PDB file of all heavy atoms in Angstrom:
ATOM      1  N   ASN A   1      88.804  84.847 105.520  1.00 93.00           N
ATOM      2  CA  ASN A   1      88.339  84.898 104.120  1.00 93.00           C
ATOM      3  C   ASN A   1      89.585  84.917 103.287  1.00 93.00           C
ATOM      4  O   ASN A   1      90.118  86.013 102.999  1.00 93.00           O
ATOM      5  CB  ASN A   1      87.493  86.165 103.907  1.00 93.00           C
ATOM      6  CG  ASN A   1      86.936  86.341 102.510  1.00 93.00           C
ATOM      7  OD1 ASN A   1      87.036  85.337 101.651  1.00 93.00           O
ATOM      8  ND2 ASN A   1      86.417  87.432 102.078  1.00 93.00           N
ATOM      9  N   GLY A   2      90.011  83.872 102.761  1.00 92.00           N
ATOM     10  CA  GLY A   2      91.314  83.726 102.090  1.00 92.00           C
ATOM     11  C   GLY A   2      92.371  83.937 103.130  1.00 92.00           C
ATOM     12  O   GLY A   2      92.433  83.326 104.170  1.00 92.00           O
ATOM     13  N   THR A   3      93.211  85.019 102.800  1.00 92.00           N
ATOM     14  CA  THR A   3      94.336  85.306 103.772  1.00 92.00           C
ATOM     15  C   THR A   3      93.910  86.492 104.665  1.00 92.00           C
ATOM     16  O   THR A   3      94.722  86.905 105.553  1.00 92.00           O
ATOM     17  CB  THR A   3      95.574  85.771 103.018  1.00 92.00           C
ATOM     18  OG1 THR A   3      95.210  86.951 102.205  1.00 92.00           O
ATOM     19  CG2 THR A   3      96.064  84.704 102.078  1.00 92.00           C
ATOM     20  N   GLU A   4      92.678  86.957 104.622  1.00 94.00           N
ATOM     21  CA  GLU A   4      92.128  88.066 105.392  1.00 94.00           C
ATOM     22  C   GLU A   4      91.510  87.718 106.639  1.00 94.00           C
ATOM     23  O   GLU A   4      90.556  86.846 106.573  1.00 94.00           O
ATOM     24  CB  GLU A   4      91.176  88.867 104.537  1.00 94.00           C
ATOM     25  CG  GLU A   4      91.775  89.707 103.403  1.00 94.00           C
ATOM     26  CD  GLU A   4      92.680  90.755 103.689  1.00 94.00           C
ATOM     27  OE1 GLU A   4      92.398  91.407 104.721  1.00 94.00           O
ATOM     28  OE2 GLU A   4      93.633  90.952 102.958  1.00 94.00           O
ATOM     29  N   ALA A   5      91.962  88.189 107.800  1.00 95.00           N
ATOM     30  CA  ALA A   5      91.369  87.874 109.091  1.00 95.00           C
ATOM     31  C   ALA A   5      90.031  88.743 109.163  1.00 95.00           C
ATOM     32  O   ALA A   5      90.183  89.951 108.917  1.00 95.00           O
ATOM     33  CB  ALA A   5      92.301  88.233 110.244  1.00 95.00           C
ATOM     34  N   VAL A   6      89.028  88.088 109.554  1.00 96.00           N
ATOM     35  CA  VAL A   6      87.597  88.816 109.749  1.00 96.00           C
ATOM     36  C   VAL A   6      87.364  88.691 111.163  1.00 96.00           C
ATOM     37  O   VAL A   6      87.063  87.673 111.662  1.00 96.00           O
ATOM     38  CB  VAL A   6      86.642  88.201 108.834  1.00 96.00           C
ATOM     39  CG1 VAL A   6      85.305  88.984 109.072  1.00 96.00           C
ATOM     40  CG2 VAL A   6      86.973  88.135 107.432  1.00 96.00           C
ATOM     41  N   PRO A   7      87.433  89.796 111.918  1.00 96.00           N
ATOM     42  CA  PRO A   7      87.191  89.756 113.398  1.00 96.00           C
ATOM     43  C   PRO A   7      85.752  89.111 113.610  1.00 96.00           C
ATOM     44  O   PRO A   7      84.806  89.433 113.024  1.00 96.00           O
ATOM     45  CB  PRO A   7      87.169  91.177 113.756  1.00 96.00           C
ATOM     46  CG  PRO A   7      88.036  91.878 112.763  1.00 96.00           C
ATOM     47  CD  PRO A   7      87.814  91.159 111.568  1.00 96.00           C
ATOM     48  N   SER A   8      85.800  88.145 114.565  1.00 97.00           N
ATOM     49  CA  SER A   8      84.538  87.464 114.934  1.00 97.00           C
ATOM     50  C   SER A   8      84.798  86.808 116.379  1.00 97.00           C
ATOM     51  O   SER A   8      85.688  86.015 116.598  1.00 97.00           O
ATOM     52  CB  SER A   8      84.264  86.353 113.917  1.00 97.00           C
ATOM     53  OG  SER A   8      83.169  85.538 114.443  1.00 97.00           O
ATOM     54  N   GLU A   9      83.821  87.208 117.304  1.00 94.00           N
ATOM     55  CA  GLU A   9      84.050  86.664 118.630  1.00 94.00           C
ATOM     56  C   GLU A   9      83.905  85.212 118.709  1.00 94.00           C
ATOM     57  O   GLU A   9      84.450  84.512 119.549  1.00 94.00           O
ATOM     58  CB  GLU A   9      82.904  87.323 119.562  1.00 94.00           C
ATOM     59  CG  GLU A   9      83.121  88.763 119.759  1.00 94.00           C
ATOM     60  CD  GLU A   9      82.063  89.376 120.764  1.00 94.00           C
ATOM     61  OE1 GLU A   9      81.300  88.589 121.246  1.00 94.00           O
ATOM     62  OE2 GLU A   9      82.114  90.599 121.064  1.00 94.00           O
ATOM     63  N   ASN A  10      83.253  84.559 117.812  1.00 93.00           N
ATOM     64  CA  ASN A  10      83.031  83.185 117.719  1.00 93.00           C
ATOM     65  C   ASN A  10      83.924  82.533 116.670  1.00 93.00           C
ATOM     66  O   ASN A  10      83.730  81.251 116.323  1.00 93.00           O
ATOM     67  CB  ASN A  10      81.512  82.831 117.470  1.00 93.00           C
ATOM     68  CG  ASN A  10      80.535  83.353 118.518  1.00 93.00           C
ATOM     69  OD1 ASN A  10      80.849  83.314 119.758  1.00 93.00           O
ATOM     70  ND2 ASN A  10      79.513  84.004 118.086  1.00 93.00           N
ATOM     71  N   GLY A  11      84.907  83.183 116.168  1.00 96.00           N
ATOM     72  CA  GLY A  11      85.697  82.584 115.181  1.00 96.00           C
ATOM     73  C   GLY A  11      86.627  81.455 115.750  1.00 96.00           C
ATOM     74  O   GLY A  11      87.049  81.472 116.954  1.00 96.00           O
ATOM     75  N   ASN A  12      86.969  80.533 114.865  1.00 96.00           N
ATOM     76  CA  ASN A  12      87.813  79.445 115.347  1.00 96.00           C
ATOM     77  C   ASN A  12      89.328  79.840 115.363  1.00 96.00           C
ATOM     78  O   ASN A  12      90.065  79.245 116.177  1.00 96.00           O
ATOM     79  CB  ASN A  12      87.691  78.214 114.377  1.00 96.00           C
ATOM     80  CG  ASN A  12      86.424  77.546 114.349  1.00 96.00           C
ATOM     81  OD1 ASN A  12      85.664  77.557 115.451  1.00 96.00           O
ATOM     82  ND2 ASN A  12      85.897  77.034 113.202  1.00 96.00           N
ATOM     83  N   TYR A  13      89.625  80.861 114.707  1.00 97.00           N
ATOM     84  CA  TYR A  13      91.002  81.298 114.734  1.00 97.00           C
ATOM     85  C   TYR A  13      91.274  82.581 115.646  1.00 97.00           C
ATOM     86  O   TYR A  13      90.351  83.126 116.001  1.00 97.00           O
ATOM     87  CB  TYR A  13      91.446  81.649 113.261  1.00 97.00           C
ATOM     88  CG  TYR A  13      91.548  80.516 112.281  1.00 97.00           C
ATOM     89  CD1 TYR A  13      90.472  80.057 111.605  1.00 97.00           C
ATOM     90  CD2 TYR A  13      92.683  79.718 112.207  1.00 97.00           C
ATOM     91  CE1 TYR A  13      90.508  78.922 110.828  1.00 97.00           C
ATOM     92  CE2 TYR A  13      92.856  78.660 111.401  1.00 97.00           C
ATOM     93  CZ  TYR A  13      91.651  78.264 110.654  1.00 97.00           C
ATOM     94  OH  TYR A  13      91.716  77.132 109.857  1.00 97.00           O
ATOM     95  N   CYS A  14      92.561  82.819 115.806  1.00 98.00           N
ATOM     96  CA  CYS A  14      92.963  84.050 116.487  1.00 98.00           C
ATOM     97  C   CYS A  14      93.767  84.914 115.632  1.00 98.00           C
ATOM     98  O   CYS A  14      94.432  84.352 114.661  1.00 98.00           O
ATOM     99  CB  CYS A  14      93.584  83.732 117.800  1.00 98.00           C
ATOM    100  SG  CYS A  14      92.588  82.872 119.037  1.00 98.00           S
ATOM    101  N   TYR A  15      93.969  86.141 115.916  1.00 98.00           N
ATOM    102  CA  TYR A  15      94.759  87.034 115.195  1.00 98.00           C
ATOM    103  C   TYR A  15      95.305  88.235 115.938  1.00 98.00           C
ATOM    104  O   TYR A  15      94.769  88.485 117.042  1.00 98.00           O
ATOM    105  CB  TYR A  15      93.998  87.570 113.946  1.00 98.00           C
ATOM    106  CG  TYR A  15      93.059  88.667 114.172  1.00 98.00           C
ATOM    107  CD1 TYR A  15      93.177  89.933 113.715  1.00 98.00           C
ATOM    108  CD2 TYR A  15      91.903  88.445 115.004  1.00 98.00           C
ATOM    109  CE1 TYR A  15      92.271  91.002 114.002  1.00 98.00           C
ATOM    110  CE2 TYR A  15      90.998  89.475 115.305  1.00 98.00           C
ATOM    111  CZ  TYR A  15      91.183  90.687 114.829  1.00 98.00           C
ATOM    112  OH  TYR A  15      90.327  91.754 115.043  1.00 98.00           O
ATOM    113  N   VAL A  16      96.317  88.890 115.445  1.00 98.00           N
ATOM    114  CA  VAL A  16      96.849  90.057 116.078  1.00 98.00           C
ATOM    115  C   VAL A  16      96.167  91.279 115.351  1.00 98.00           C
ATOM    116  O   VAL A  16      96.259  91.427 114.090  1.00 98.00           O
ATOM    117  CB  VAL A  16      98.338  90.165 115.918  1.00 98.00           C
ATOM    118  CG1 VAL A  16      98.889  91.428 116.623  1.00 98.00           C
ATOM    119  CG2 VAL A  16      99.051  88.967 116.549  1.00 98.00           C
ATOM    120  N   PRO A  17      95.440  92.170 116.097  1.00 97.00           N
ATOM    121  CA  PRO A  17      94.579  93.081 115.412  1.00 97.00           C
ATOM    122  C   PRO A  17      95.385  94.270 114.813  1.00 97.00           C
ATOM    123  O   PRO A  17      94.843  95.067 114.069  1.00 97.00           O
ATOM    124  CB  PRO A  17      93.810  93.726 116.556  1.00 97.00           C
ATOM    125  CG  PRO A  17      94.417  93.300 117.829  1.00 97.00           C
ATOM    126  CD  PRO A  17      95.252  92.089 117.524  1.00 97.00           C
ATOM    127  N   ILE A  18      96.701  94.324 114.945  1.00 97.00           N
ATOM    128  CA  ILE A  18      97.549  95.408 114.390  1.00 97.00           C
ATOM    129  C   ILE A  18      98.496  94.781 113.392  1.00 97.00           C
ATOM    130  O   ILE A  18      99.377  94.061 113.743  1.00 97.00           O
ATOM    131  CB  ILE A  18      98.275  96.230 115.487  1.00 97.00           C
ATOM    132  CG1 ILE A  18      97.291  96.879 116.448  1.00 97.00           C
ATOM    133  CG2 ILE A  18      99.164  97.289 114.822  1.00 97.00           C
ATOM    134  CD1 ILE A  18      97.996  97.493 117.583  1.00 97.00           C
ATOM    135  N   SER A  19      98.273  95.076 112.149  1.00 97.00           N
ATOM    136  CA  SER A  19      99.289  94.750 111.108  1.00 97.00           C
ATOM    137  C   SER A  19      99.272  95.808 109.979  1.00 97.00           C
ATOM    138  O   SER A  19      98.338  96.695 110.038  1.00 97.00           O
ATOM    139  CB  SER A  19      99.011  93.337 110.451  1.00 97.00           C
ATOM    140  OG  SER A  19      97.681  93.358 109.877  1.00 97.00           O
ATOM    141  N   TYR A  20     100.097  95.764 109.076  1.00 98.00           N
ATOM    142  CA  TYR A  20     100.211  96.850 108.022  1.00 98.00           C
ATOM    143  C   TYR A  20     100.399  96.236 106.630  1.00 98.00           C
ATOM    144  O   TYR A  20     101.224  95.314 106.541  1.00 98.00           O
ATOM    145  CB  TYR A  20     101.447  97.679 108.407  1.00 98.00           C
ATOM    146  CG  TYR A  20     101.383  98.280 109.771  1.00 98.00           C
ATOM    147  CD1 TYR A  20     101.911  97.482 110.869  1.00 98.00           C
ATOM    148  CD2 TYR A  20     100.775  99.553 110.040  1.00 98.00           C
ATOM    149  CE1 TYR A  20     101.838  98.114 112.173  1.00 98.00           C
ATOM    150  CE2 TYR A  20     100.665 100.060 111.275  1.00 98.00           C
ATOM    151  CZ  TYR A  20     101.231  99.279 112.411  1.00 98.00           C
ATOM    152  OH  TYR A  20     101.201  99.845 113.679  1.00 98.00           O
ATOM    153  N   LYS A  21      99.706  96.804 105.711  1.00 97.00           N
ATOM    154  CA  LYS A  21      99.910  96.418 104.281  1.00 97.00           C
ATOM    155  C   LYS A  21     100.667  97.555 103.570  1.00 97.00           C
ATOM    156  O   LYS A  21     100.268  98.711 103.487  1.00 97.00           O
ATOM    157  CB  LYS A  21      98.575  96.175 103.646  1.00 97.00           C
ATOM    158  CG  LYS A  21      97.893  95.031 104.155  1.00 97.00           C
ATOM    159  CD  LYS A  21      96.599  94.675 103.467  1.00 97.00           C
ATOM    160  CE  LYS A  21      96.049  93.361 103.950  1.00 97.00           C
ATOM    161  NZ  LYS A  21      94.605  93.070 103.303  1.00 97.00           N
ATOM    162  N   VAL A  22     101.834  97.240 103.145  1.00 98.00           N
ATOM    163  CA  VAL A  22     102.839  98.102 102.542  1.00 98.00           C
ATOM    164  C   VAL A  22     103.436  97.501 101.342  1.00 98.00           C
ATOM    165  O   VAL A  22     103.635  96.287 101.296  1.00 98.00           O
ATOM    166  CB  VAL A  22     103.815  98.711 103.529  1.00 98.00           C
ATOM    167  CG1 VAL A  22     103.193  99.566 104.528  1.00 98.00           C
ATOM    168  CG2 VAL A  22     104.545  97.507 104.257  1.00 98.00           C
ATOM    169  N   THR A  23     103.961  98.299 100.440  1.00 98.00           N
ATOM    170  CA  THR A  23     104.701  97.798  99.290  1.00 98.00           C
ATOM    171  C   THR A  23     106.155  97.632  99.647  1.00 98.00           C
ATOM    172  O   THR A  23     106.660  98.382 100.513  1.00 98.00           O
ATOM    173  CB  THR A  23     104.474  98.650  98.068  1.00 98.00           C
ATOM    174  OG1 THR A  23     105.050  99.929  98.297  1.00 98.00           O
ATOM    175  CG2 THR A  23     103.113  98.761  97.663  1.00 98.00           C
ATOM    176  N   LEU A  24     106.839  96.828  98.831  1.00 97.00           N
ATOM    177  CA  LEU A  24     108.245  96.607  99.080  1.00 97.00           C
ATOM    178  C   LEU A  24     108.969  97.975  98.795  1.00 97.00           C
ATOM    179  O   LEU A  24     109.913  98.322  99.519  1.00 97.00           O
ATOM    180  CB  LEU A  24     108.838  95.594  98.136  1.00 97.00           C
ATOM    181  CG  LEU A  24     108.523  94.125  98.427  1.00 97.00           C
ATOM    182  CD1 LEU A  24     109.046  93.225  97.449  1.00 97.00           C
ATOM    183  CD2 LEU A  24     109.159  93.725  99.818  1.00 97.00           C
ATOM    184  N   GLY A  25     108.498  98.642  97.730  1.00 98.00           N
ATOM    185  CA  GLY A  25     109.173  99.992  97.357  1.00 98.00           C
ATOM    186  C   GLY A  25     109.029 100.959  98.588  1.00 98.00           C
ATOM    187  O   GLY A  25     110.014 101.682  98.893  1.00 98.00           O
ATOM    188  N   TYR A  26     107.887 101.010  99.182  1.00 98.00           N
ATOM    189  CA  TYR A  26     107.716 101.948 100.402  1.00 98.00           C
ATOM    190  C   TYR A  26     108.632 101.588 101.576  1.00 98.00           C
ATOM    191  O   TYR A  26     109.202 102.492 102.114  1.00 98.00           O
ATOM    192  CB  TYR A  26     106.282 101.969 100.767  1.00 98.00           C
ATOM    193  CG  TYR A  26     106.016 103.026 101.885  1.00 98.00           C
ATOM    194  CD1 TYR A  26     106.098 104.403 101.684  1.00 98.00           C
ATOM    195  CD2 TYR A  26     105.686 102.586 103.215  1.00 98.00           C
ATOM    196  CE1 TYR A  26     105.887 105.323 102.654  1.00 98.00           C
ATOM    197  CE2 TYR A  26     105.600 103.559 104.240  1.00 98.00           C
ATOM    198  CZ  TYR A  26     105.630 104.934 103.852  1.00 98.00           C
ATOM    199  OH  TYR A  26     105.427 105.842 104.887  1.00 98.00           O
ATOM    200  N   ILE A  27     108.642 100.346 101.826  1.00 98.00           N
ATOM    201  CA  ILE A  27     109.620  99.845 102.826  1.00 98.00           C
ATOM    202  C   ILE A  27     111.023 100.302 102.568  1.00 98.00           C
ATOM    203  O   ILE A  27     111.743 100.797 103.486  1.00 98.00           O
ATOM    204  CB  ILE A  27     109.550  98.314 103.019  1.00 98.00           C
ATOM    205  CG1 ILE A  27     108.204  97.897 103.497  1.00 98.00           C
ATOM    206  CG2 ILE A  27     110.647  97.842 104.011  1.00 98.00           C
ATOM    207  CD1 ILE A  27     107.938  96.401 103.459  1.00 98.00           C
ATOM    208  N   VAL A  28     111.482 100.058 101.383  1.00 98.00           N
ATOM    209  CA  VAL A  28     112.905 100.439 101.006  1.00 98.00           C
ATOM    210  C   VAL A  28     113.008 102.047 101.084  1.00 98.00           C
ATOM    211  O   VAL A  28     114.036 102.505 101.618  1.00 98.00           O
ATOM    212  CB  VAL A  28     113.187  99.992  99.612  1.00 98.00           C
ATOM    213  CG1 VAL A  28     114.526 100.511  99.091  1.00 98.00           C
ATOM    214  CG2 VAL A  28     113.257  98.440  99.588  1.00 98.00           C
ATOM    215  N   ASP A  29     112.063 102.778 100.577  1.00 98.00           N
ATOM    216  CA  ASP A  29     112.133 104.292 100.642  1.00 98.00           C
ATOM    217  C   ASP A  29     112.241 104.679 102.117  1.00 98.00           C
ATOM    218  O   ASP A  29     113.117 105.581 102.358  1.00 98.00           O
ATOM    219  CB  ASP A  29     110.872 104.866 100.004  1.00 98.00           C
ATOM    220  CG  ASP A  29     110.857 104.676  98.453  1.00 98.00           C
ATOM    221  OD1 ASP A  29     111.924 104.481  97.912  1.00 98.00           O
ATOM    222  OD2 ASP A  29     109.844 104.911  97.904  1.00 98.00           O
ATOM    223  N   CYS A  30     111.471 104.042 103.026  1.00 98.00           N
ATOM    224  CA  CYS A  30     111.573 104.424 104.377  1.00 98.00           C
ATOM    225  C   CYS A  30     112.999 104.178 104.993  1.00 98.00           C
ATOM    226  O   CYS A  30     113.569 104.966 105.709  1.00 98.00           O
ATOM    227  CB  CYS A  30     110.440 103.683 105.248  1.00 98.00           C
ATOM    228  SG  CYS A  30     108.749 104.277 104.968  1.00 98.00           S
ATOM    229  N   LEU A  31     113.445 103.013 104.630  1.00 98.00           N
ATOM    230  CA  LEU A  31     114.707 102.583 105.273  1.00 98.00           C
ATOM    231  C   LEU A  31     115.938 103.474 104.772  1.00 98.00           C
ATOM    232  O   LEU A  31     116.874 103.741 105.500  1.00 98.00           O
ATOM    233  CB  LEU A  31     115.056 101.040 104.949  1.00 98.00           C
ATOM    234  CG  LEU A  31     114.084 100.036 105.542  1.00 98.00           C
ATOM    235  CD1 LEU A  31     114.438  98.680 105.066  1.00 98.00           C
ATOM    236  CD2 LEU A  31     114.315 100.126 107.064  1.00 98.00           C
ATOM    237  N   LYS A  32     115.765 103.842 103.476  1.00 98.00           N
ATOM    238  CA  LYS A  32     116.902 104.725 102.921  1.00 98.00           C
ATOM    239  C   LYS A  32     116.764 106.109 103.587  1.00 98.00           C
ATOM    240  O   LYS A  32     117.823 106.750 103.827  1.00 98.00           O
ATOM    241  CB  LYS A  32     116.667 104.900 101.366  1.00 98.00           C
ATOM    242  CG  LYS A  32     116.974 103.595 100.673  1.00 98.00           C
ATOM    243  CD  LYS A  32     116.947 103.816  99.190  1.00 98.00           C
ATOM    244  CE  LYS A  32     117.385 102.541  98.371  1.00 98.00           C
ATOM    245  NZ  LYS A  32     117.218 102.726  96.949  1.00 98.00           N
ATOM    246  N   THR A  33     115.616 106.603 103.913  1.00 97.00           N
ATOM    247  CA  THR A  33     115.363 107.847 104.670  1.00 97.00           C
ATOM    248  C   THR A  33     116.020 107.648 106.083  1.00 97.00           C
ATOM    249  O   THR A  33     116.686 108.550 106.601  1.00 97.00           O
ATOM    250  CB  THR A  33     113.894 108.216 104.816  1.00 97.00           C
ATOM    251  OG1 THR A  33     113.325 108.366 103.551  1.00 97.00           O
ATOM    252  CG2 THR A  33     113.745 109.500 105.641  1.00 97.00           C
ATOM    253  N   PHE A  34     115.774 106.595 106.749  1.00 98.00           N
ATOM    254  CA  PHE A  34     116.336 106.337 108.107  1.00 98.00           C
ATOM    255  C   PHE A  34     117.845 106.281 108.049  1.00 98.00           C
ATOM    256  O   PHE A  34     118.540 106.801 108.859  1.00 98.00           O
ATOM    257  CB  PHE A  34     115.874 104.927 108.580  1.00 98.00           C
ATOM    258  CG  PHE A  34     114.375 104.813 108.674  1.00 98.00           C
ATOM    259  CD1 PHE A  34     113.753 103.614 108.869  1.00 98.00           C
ATOM    260  CD2 PHE A  34     113.524 105.912 108.840  1.00 98.00           C
ATOM    261  CE1 PHE A  34     112.388 103.505 108.880  1.00 98.00           C
ATOM    262  CE2 PHE A  34     112.109 105.777 108.861  1.00 98.00           C
ATOM    263  CZ  PHE A  34     111.609 104.604 108.862  1.00 98.00           C
ATOM    264  N   HIS A  35     118.360 105.672 106.912  1.00 98.00           N
ATOM    265  CA  HIS A  35     119.818 105.514 106.746  1.00 98.00           C
ATOM    266  C   HIS A  35     120.527 107.018 106.604  1.00 98.00           C
ATOM    267  O   HIS A  35     121.612 107.194 107.085  1.00 98.00           O
ATOM    268  CB  HIS A  35     120.123 104.798 105.492  1.00 98.00           C
ATOM    269  CG  HIS A  35     121.525 104.619 105.131  1.00 98.00           C
ATOM    270  ND1 HIS A  35     122.167 105.454 104.311  1.00 98.00           N
ATOM    271  CD2 HIS A  35     122.523 103.687 105.574  1.00 98.00           C
ATOM    272  CE1 HIS A  35     123.447 105.101 104.237  1.00 98.00           C
ATOM    273  NE2 HIS A  35     123.610 104.067 104.979  1.00 98.00           N
ATOM    274  N   GLU A  36     119.805 107.974 106.029  1.00 97.00           N
ATOM    275  CA  GLU A  36     120.302 109.283 105.795  1.00 97.00           C
ATOM    276  C   GLU A  36     120.159 110.251 107.019  1.00 97.00           C
ATOM    277  O   GLU A  36     120.675 111.261 107.007  1.00 97.00           O
ATOM    278  CB  GLU A  36     119.688 109.871 104.554  1.00 97.00           C
ATOM    279  CG  GLU A  36     119.966 109.191 103.240  1.00 97.00           C
ATOM    280  CD  GLU A  36     121.446 109.178 103.083  1.00 97.00           C
ATOM    281  OE1 GLU A  36     122.078 110.249 103.007  1.00 97.00           O
ATOM    282  OE2 GLU A  36     122.057 108.100 102.796  1.00 97.00           O
ATOM    283  N   GLN A  37     119.363 109.800 107.948  1.00 97.00           N
ATOM    284  CA  GLN A  37     119.097 110.684 109.076  1.00 97.00           C
ATOM    285  C   GLN A  37     120.344 111.303 109.799  1.00 97.00           C
ATOM    286  O   GLN A  37     120.301 112.456 110.083  1.00 97.00           O
ATOM    287  CB  GLN A  37     118.210 109.884 110.072  1.00 97.00           C
ATOM    288  CG  GLN A  37     117.565 110.850 111.163  1.00 97.00           C
ATOM    289  CD  GLN A  37     118.507 111.184 112.235  1.00 97.00           C
ATOM    290  OE1 GLN A  37     119.351 110.383 112.693  1.00 97.00           O
ATOM    291  NE2 GLN A  37     118.284 112.370 112.854  1.00 97.00           N
ATOM    292  N   PRO A  38     121.434 110.473 110.097  1.00 97.00           N
ATOM    293  CA  PRO A  38     122.580 111.136 110.619  1.00 97.00           C
ATOM    294  C   PRO A  38     123.151 112.153 109.814  1.00 97.00           C
ATOM    295  O   PRO A  38     123.884 113.111 110.350  1.00 97.00           O
ATOM    296  CB  PRO A  38     123.528 109.965 110.774  1.00 97.00           C
ATOM    297  CG  PRO A  38     122.702 108.728 110.913  1.00 97.00           C
ATOM    298  CD  PRO A  38     121.583 109.017 109.870  1.00 97.00           C
ATOM    299  N   LYS A  39     122.797 112.173 108.565  1.00 97.00           N
ATOM    300  CA  LYS A  39     123.518 113.313 107.678  1.00 97.00           C
ATOM    301  C   LYS A  39     122.529 114.442 107.487  1.00 97.00           C
ATOM    302  O   LYS A  39     122.914 115.651 107.580  1.00 97.00           O
ATOM    303  CB  LYS A  39     123.710 112.737 106.229  1.00 97.00           C
ATOM    304  CG  LYS A  39     124.762 111.641 106.159  1.00 97.00           C
ATOM    305  CD  LYS A  39     124.842 111.007 104.830  1.00 97.00           C
ATOM    306  CE  LYS A  39     125.801 109.844 104.737  1.00 97.00           C
ATOM    307  NZ  LYS A  39     125.852 109.157 103.280  1.00 97.00           N
ATOM    308  N   THR A  40     121.167 114.147 107.322  1.00 96.00           N
ATOM    309  CA  THR A  40     120.202 115.231 107.184  1.00 96.00           C
ATOM    310  C   THR A  40     119.709 115.721 108.528  1.00 96.00           C
ATOM    311  O   THR A  40     119.191 116.830 108.609  1.00 96.00           O
ATOM    312  CB  THR A  40     118.959 114.744 106.369  1.00 96.00           C
ATOM    313  OG1 THR A  40     118.362 113.769 107.145  1.00 96.00           O
ATOM    314  CG2 THR A  40     119.394 114.067 105.031  1.00 96.00           C
ATOM    315  N   LEU A  41     119.836 114.969 109.549  1.00 97.00           N
ATOM    316  CA  LEU A  41     119.277 115.291 110.920  1.00 97.00           C
ATOM    317  C   LEU A  41     117.776 115.263 110.909  1.00 97.00           C
ATOM    318  O   LEU A  41     117.199 115.493 111.987  1.00 97.00           O
ATOM    319  CB  LEU A  41     119.834 116.498 111.513  1.00 97.00           C
ATOM    320  CG  LEU A  41     121.304 116.746 111.566  1.00 97.00           C
ATOM    321  CD1 LEU A  41     121.534 118.051 112.315  1.00 97.00           C
ATOM    322  CD2 LEU A  41     121.918 115.685 112.458  1.00 97.00           C
ATOM    323  N   LEU A  42     117.176 114.892 109.786  1.00 96.00           N
ATOM    324  CA  LEU A  42     115.689 114.973 109.702  1.00 96.00           C
ATOM    325  C   LEU A  42     115.089 113.669 110.168  1.00 96.00           C
ATOM    326  O   LEU A  42     115.244 112.516 109.613  1.00 96.00           O
ATOM    327  CB  LEU A  42     115.254 115.186 108.214  1.00 96.00           C
ATOM    328  CG  LEU A  42     113.784 115.379 107.967  1.00 96.00           C
ATOM    329  CD1 LEU A  42     113.245 116.615 108.715  1.00 96.00           C
ATOM    330  CD2 LEU A  42     113.517 115.464 106.456  1.00 96.00           C
ATOM    331  N   MET A  43     114.287 113.746 111.174  1.00 95.00           N
ATOM    332  CA  MET A  43     113.495 112.659 111.748  1.00 95.00           C
ATOM    333  C   MET A  43     112.232 112.559 111.051  1.00 95.00           C
ATOM    334  O   MET A  43     111.425 113.501 111.252  1.00 95.00           O
ATOM    335  CB  MET A  43     113.331 112.683 113.277  1.00 95.00           C
ATOM    336  CG  MET A  43     112.679 111.565 113.843  1.00 95.00           C
ATOM    337  SD  MET A  43     113.586 110.024 113.720  1.00 95.00           S
ATOM    338  CE  MET A  43     115.138 110.386 114.643  1.00 95.00           C
TER     339      MET A  43
END
């Protein structure tokens, strides 16, 4: 349905059932936290 995969046993297409919808801002925030982990030790 547009860009949305709609699970259907008889569907013509295939898809990977695990994906994530996230904003660019959230991605960057996560990466900056990962970058600081050696300093903060916080996982």
Side-chain angles (χ1 to χ4, degrees):
N1 180 13
T3 60
E4 295 290 326
V6 181
S8 171
E9 290 185 4
N10 299 317
N12 289 332
Y13 291 90
C14 297
Y15 77 114
V16 181
I18 301 176
S19 63
Y20 305 86
K21 291 184 177 180
V22 289
T23 64
L24 287 176
Y26 183 71
I27 293 171
V28 171
D29 288 344
C30 286
L31 292 175
K32 289 182 177 179
T33 299
F34 304 159
H35 178 269
E36 294 301 306
Q37 193 278 330
K39 299 176 185 176
T40 65
L41 302 183
L42 183 63
M43 183 63 65

